[in-house]
Amino acid sequence: MQENAIMLAPTDERNTSKRTLGQYLASIRVDRNMSLRDVEEATNKQVSNAYLSQIENNKIKKPSPNILHALAELYAISFENLMDMAGYISGTKRADTERHGRIATFAEHNLSAEEETEMLQYLQFMRMRKKPGDKT
């Protein structure tokens, strides 16, 4: 199996479930053009390539906070978000009914200026679409 190969859930309309921690970490690693071994080296073997592979393939669903911290530092992403995705209780957890106000979903991926513009145009299109139940 190729080292950068990851098992992501299909992205069709029927799949509305949230990404798992493993899928999220795999997408960030691939976006950073890093192999599993690159991560192992960059974390001074704090995160072994085998362990990271198990996380990314959802065999390990709740890695230790130390591992999550090392990955957050390496990938320059939110440690708090990783802790939340792993199921650790945070003191700032909001109610599900609250508006989130968080940064854009793709903000942690290195989008080009052109990709960012296209994402914003698509978002504008989606917001302007007629919603079910809207009166004409």
Side-chain angles (χ1 to χ4, degrees):
M1 180 176 214
Q2 186 179 9
E3 195 167 303
N4 273 336
I6 53 174
M7 305 277 190
L8 294 180
T11 55
D12 63 21
E13 290 179 34
R14 294 169 298 201
N15 182 17
T16 58
S17 63
K18 291 182 180 182
R19 283 191 295 177
T20 65
L21 173 65
Q23 291 168 334
Y24 175 71
L25 288 172
S27 72
I28 296 296
R29 179 180 58 77
V30 170
D31 183 66
R32 303 296 191 264
N33 293 318
M34 297 182 82
S35 69
L36 294 168
R37 292 191 194 283
D38 291 338
V39 173
E40 181 177 59
E41 289 175 25
T43 61
N44 294 318
K45 298 190 179 190
Q46 186 176 1
V47 182
S48 76
N49 69 74
Y51 190 75
L52 181 56
S53 175
Q54 290 180 10
I55 294 169
E56 289 182 0
N57 288 294
N58 301 312
K59 304 253 187 279
I60 297 173
K61 296 182 191 234
K62 195 170 184 176
S64 77
N66 290 339
I67 297 294
L68 296 176
H69 188 266
L71 293 171
E73 293 250 317
L74 176 63
Y75 297 154
I77 58 176
S78 167
F79 171 66
E80 291 78 15
N81 185 38
L82 293 183
M83 291 288 287
D84 187 45
M85 290 181 82
Y88 290 99
I89 298 172
S90 74
T92 60
K93 191 144 181 130
R94 63 178 166 75
D96 286 340
T97 57
E98 255 180 76
R99 288 187 59 97
H100 51 74
R102 63 185 168 90
I103 59 176
T105 301
F106 294 100
E108 292 168 337
H109 291 274
N110 295 321
L111 296 178
S112 68
E114 183 180 316
E115 291 170 325
E116 187 175 335
T117 299
E118 287 181 26
M119 291 291 293
L120 290 171
Q121 288 172 347
Y122 183 71
L123 178 61
Q124 183 178 18
F125 164 76
M126 292 298 294
R127 287 180 172 167
M128 293 180 70
R129 278 187 6 194
K130 183 178 177 185
K131 294 176 181 72
D134 283 352
K135 300 196 183 207
T136 353

